[in-house]
Amino acid sequence: TAAAIQRDFLPQSLPSCEGYGMAARAVPCLQVGGDYYDLVSLDAERIGLAVADVSGKGVGAALLMASLRAWLRSELLHGTDLAALGAKLNDFAHESSDIRSFITFFFAELDKETGGLRYVNAGHNPALVFGRDGLVRELPATGLCLGMLAGRPYEIGTAALAPGEILVLYTDGITESRNTGEKEFGVEGLTEAVREDLGKDARTILEGVFRRLAEFTVCAEPFDDRTLVIVKRDAFESAPSV
């Protein structure tokens, strides 16, 4: 029952975004987990992209994740500034969980026309931007994990998706997955998997990462939730010949 409820918290469909392809998946380690992602239309020009990882597993982590989602959605309705959003979510997480709990959190506003990104990264894995040549740019942390210390400020980071570029958001359940020899898939495994399908659509890239991950881990049991979000900006169409 808890697993079914949690699935309902995740987006049932992705928002329409002309000029971009999007794909996302969350795979809990147990029946319920502490990973979360969201893609939500903010207005006609912007889309919000979120991914988070609550410390711990099971029902407790899932409940904190559900509370985070509700609080985030509420704040987005009020058009809260990104820096203020990070500070409010941090104070909420600090008040709503015990001293051992925290949440890594990444949220970005994507300008659909320009490809511009404004983001807050609260101790989460750096988001990755893949250029058309396969080179990778990281979007690093702009503040501490949510809930660690009350009253913390959060800076706003900026980046951009040029035509044909790919944004990859993920939780550490992807990169820290191990094979039977205790070797980690790592950021290297993730980047190799994305590069293998660089010219393909977002759904194919996502499926390719999970396929490569399954081949790497083989029979090793997962020990953490795995979440992946792919956003690919369409490349310019070539001009018609005269």
Side-chain angles (χ1 to χ4, degrees):
T1 300
I5 292 171
Q6 185 175 36
R7 283 193 297 271
D8 289 341
F9 285 138
L10 297 174
Q12 303 304 301
S13 61
L14 302 184
S16 175
C17 189
E18 184 177 354
Y20 296 83
M22 300 183 180
R25 181 180 299 164
V27 181
C29 173
L30 305 175
Q31 286 184 306
V32 291
D35 277 12
Y36 162 69
Y37 75 85
D38 211 348
L39 295 90
V40 57
S41 292
L42 301 176
D43 52 39
E45 291 79 32
R46 299 174 303 145
I47 281 187
L49 310 167
V51 65
D53 184 358
V54 178
S55 61
K57 304 174 185 66
V59 174
L63 289 173
L64 184 54
M65 179 276 283
S67 298
L68 173 72
R69 175 191 181 275
W71 191 273
L72 173 63
R73 287 278 185 142
S74 175
E75 289 298 325
L76 293 179
L77 287 175
H78 297 98
T80 305
D81 174 76
L82 275 182
L85 176 69
K88 288 183 177 182
L89 288 174
N90 174 67
D91 289 346
F92 160 75
H94 189 266
E95 294 168 2
S96 304
S97 58
D98 63 42
I99 194 170
R100 296 166 296 178
S101 297
F102 59 89
I103 306 169
T104 68
F105 173 77
F106 179 94
F107 182 83
E109 296 175 348
L110 170 64
D111 185 307
K112 293 187 281 187
E113 182 176 353
T114 67
L117 289 164
R118 300 175 71 250
Y119 69 90
V120 169
N121 183 342
H124 197 73
N125 309 86
L128 306 176
V129 177
F130 287 75
R132 298 178 69 173
D133 55 4
L135 294 179
V136 178
R137 310 188 299 276
E138 293 189 344
L139 308 186
T142 62
L144 295 177
C145 302
L146 301 181
M148 293 188 74
L149 295 170
R152 300 297 299 180
Y154 287 84
E155 296 180 3
I156 299 174
T158 59
L161 276 185
E165 294 193 326
I166 301 162
L167 174 67
V168 177
L169 313 179
Y170 63 97
T171 59
D172 59 13
I174 297 280
T175 52
E176 293 180 3
S177 291
R178 299 191 182 105
N179 61 17
T180 51
E182 290 298 303
K183 181 181 178 181
E184 288 190 350
F185 188 62
V187 177
E188 297 81 6
L190 174 59
T191 55
E192 287 175 12
V194 173
R195 283 175 178 150
E196 188 173 281
D197 294 320
L198 204 60
K200 300 178 182 176
D201 61 31
R203 173 59 58 183
T204 302
I205 294 170
L206 181 136
E207 296 292 350
V209 171
F210 276 100
R211 185 185 67 253
R212 288 282 294 268
L213 185 59
E215 292 169 353
F216 177 83
T217 56
V218 195
C219 298
E221 288 290 328
F223 61 88
D224 201 359
D225 309 323
R226 299 168 175 176
T227 297
L228 182 65
V229 177
I230 306 289
V231 178
K232 183 173 184 180
R233 187 177 182 186
D234 295 346
F236 284 129
E237 295 182 2
S238 54
S241 56
V242 178

